[in-house]
Amino acid sequence: MLLKGTIIKGIGGFYYVDTNEGIIECRARGKFRKNEILPTVGDSVTVETTDLKQGSVKEIEKRKNLLVRPAVSNIDTLMIVAAVANPQPDTSLIDKMLVIAAKRGIKGALCINKSDLDSAGDTDKLKECYENAGYKVFITSAEKGEGISELKAELRNKTTAFAGLSGVGKSSILTIITGRELETGDTSRIERGKHTTRHVELIKIEDGYVFDTPGFSQLEVEDIKAGELKDYFPEIEKRDSLCRFRGCSHISEPDCAVKEALKNGEISQSRYDSYVKMYEKLKMIKDWERGGSNGK
Ligand SMILES: Nc1nc2c(ncn2[C@@H]2O[C@H](COP(=O)(O)OP(=O)(O)O)[C@@H](O)[C@H]2O)c(=O)[nH]1
Ligand SMILES: [Mg+2]
Ligand SMILES: [Zn+2]
């Protein structure tokens, strides 16, 4: 019989496909048919099976998106986890990850964890900054079990990737959400050594999947053109058409709606700084690639 399902794991020459009838173990047969597609964790597939235990992948549905490192497809949301303290939030890293997600058609959201460590109101400031920019923000304390049900509600019917610096509490949150004991604590030294080879596994929750993305924070924005960067900052994109010049970079042009919004506090300084920093970096990469010519 034929069953639809999702590849949740690929290991040792097998793919594990989650279906309504349970998990079917499918043998990996290299590239998929003539279109040269390698079955990937996250793929929606059709499986042929006779005993509901083992089977083979017959068809792979067109992917919504694909991350290469780690290799996962069809991600709906990138949930960026930051800690309000220990480690300190790194807004330029958060902004970079939001850009990478948007470029790949993945919705970005923010989870500010360790709210129990906040005594200065930093959690609310960070929340306001990202909500103003147009993102959903969740405040949690895995330690105290706070904010987890609101976060959980957001994961329904979606595949959500959790990403963020080591030590922010991803595993702690995912342990509570999935009920599966995940390794927590000071694993930074181990993770650094093996982040590129670690297997990704989608973990099933009610009507959705979640997974941890070791190494995601090391991704770079290199495949983006400087001139398209604004499309990946919702609060900048929204104002782009109001600037005097078409193709305004929102850095040095006069009558710029973005700089106006920055001046009156509608756009946060840290988000704008991230934009400028990335813009300049991307412009340099492109110039270098084009042999020093002036192209964007
Ligand atoms: N105070 C506090 N500590 C937390 C919280 N969440 C996680 N931790 C601790 O932070 C450390 C790193 O957590 P872990 O889940 O391994 O982070 P990961 O590297 O992002 O997976 C562990 O010692 C956790 O006990 C929280 O909400 N509050
Ligand atoms: Mg972890
Ligand atoms: Zn402008």
Side-chain angles (χ1 to χ4, degrees):
M1 88 189 78
L2 294 174
L3 289 173
K4 294 222 181 250
T6 303
I7 299 181
I8 57 166
K9 185 164 69 165
I11 200 162
F14 291 96
Y15 299 116
Y16 295 86
V17 179
D18 182 40
T19 72
N20 283 338
E21 306 289 334
I23 293 170
I24 318 271
E25 184 185 77
C26 297
R27 198 172 286 282
R29 291 206 174 88
K31 296 246 166 85
F32 192 70
R33 287 195 185 160
K34 47 185 182 270
N35 26 2
E36 297 273 291
I37 294 170
L38 203 59
T40 297
V41 171
D43 282 349
S44 289
V45 297
T46 304
V47 169
E48 183 166 42
T49 176
T50 48
D51 61 1
L52 297 179
K53 289 191 180 70
Q54 291 180 317
S56 60
V57 175
K58 286 286 157 201
E59 219 168 299
I60 302 175
E61 272 175 42
K62 193 172 182 300
R63 294 170 180 149
K64 286 189 273 190
N65 51 51
L66 176 69
L67 270 189
V68 178
R69 224 168 11 129
V72 186
S73 68
N74 298 323
I75 301 164
D76 295 299
T77 308
L78 179 74
M79 184 62 69
I80 298 169
V81 184
V84 67
N86 190 23
Q88 289 295 316
D90 179 345
T91 54
S92 74
L93 178 66
I94 293 169
D95 296 337
K96 191 182 86 177
M97 294 202 287
L98 288 169
V99 164
I100 292 169
K103 165 76 180 174
R104 286 166 179 70
I106 300 168
K107 205 177 121 194
L110 182 66
C111 170
I112 309 167
N113 189 40
K114 306 202 185 185
S115 61
D116 56 291
L117 299 181
D118 181 20
S119 49
D122 295 336
T123 312
D124 289 336
K125 275 182 225 153
L126 209 55
K127 181 175 197 268
E128 200 192 318
C129 169
Y130 284 92
E131 280 183 343
N132 271 344
Y135 298 101
K136 277 197 187 166
V137 180
F138 300 87
I139 295 176
T140 58
S141 166
E143 181 87 1
K144 297 244 188 306
E146 285 165 10
I148 302 289
S149 53
E150 288 84 353
L151 178 64
K152 233 176 146 171
E154 177 65 16
L155 311 178
R156 219 161 274 152
N157 295 317
K158 298 185 188 89
T159 295
T160 306
F162 280 72
L165 285 174
S166 179
V168 295
K170 296 181 295 298
S171 299
S172 304
I173 292 169
L174 287 171
T175 295
I176 303 175
I177 285 176
T178 63
R180 198 192 285 196
E181 199 62 45
L182 299 164
E183 203 179 321
T184 61
D186 184 17
T187 54
S188 53
R189 262 167 301 148
I190 312 162
E191 275 179 10
R192 209 169 294 151
K194 64 175 184 182
H195 67 261
T196 45
T197 51
R198 228 175 95 171
H199 292 285
V200 182
E201 178 180 353
L202 301 189
I203 304 173
K204 187 161 193 156
I205 50 168
E206 33 177 316
D207 303 322
Y209 298 99
V210 293
F211 66 101
D212 196 352
T213 53
F216 187 90
S217 56
Q218 282 127 1
L219 292 185
E220 284 302 332
V221 291
E222 279 148 18
D223 58 335
I224 295 170
K225 292 193 188 100
E228 100 187 87
L229 183 63
K230 61 178 191 288
D231 297 342
Y232 308 126
F233 281 77
E235 72 273 53
I236 293 179
E237 196 273 333
K238 195 168 98 180
R239 293 169 170 93
D240 187 51
S241 63
L242 305 173
C243 297
R244 180 160 140 202
F245 295 106
R246 263 187 77 190
C248 181
S249 73
H250 317 300
I251 293 176
S252 52
E253 295 88 339
D255 296 331
C256 169
V258 170
K259 280 193 288 172
E260 195 57 38
L262 175 69
K263 215 177 341 168
N264 60 37
E266 290 167 27
I267 287 181
S268 86
Q269 188 68 47
S270 83
R271 289 277 297 166
Y272 183 75
D273 290 348
S274 289
Y275 171 77
V276 174
K277 196 169 120 188
M278 272 185 257
Y279 184 91
E280 278 163 1
K281 187 175 168 196
L282 290 172
K283 229 174 139 47
M284 249 171 48
I285 293 171
K286 294 299 160 188
D287 287 349
W288 171 79
E289 276 179 356
R290 291 166 196 219
S293 79
N294 231 357
K296 256 192 220 175

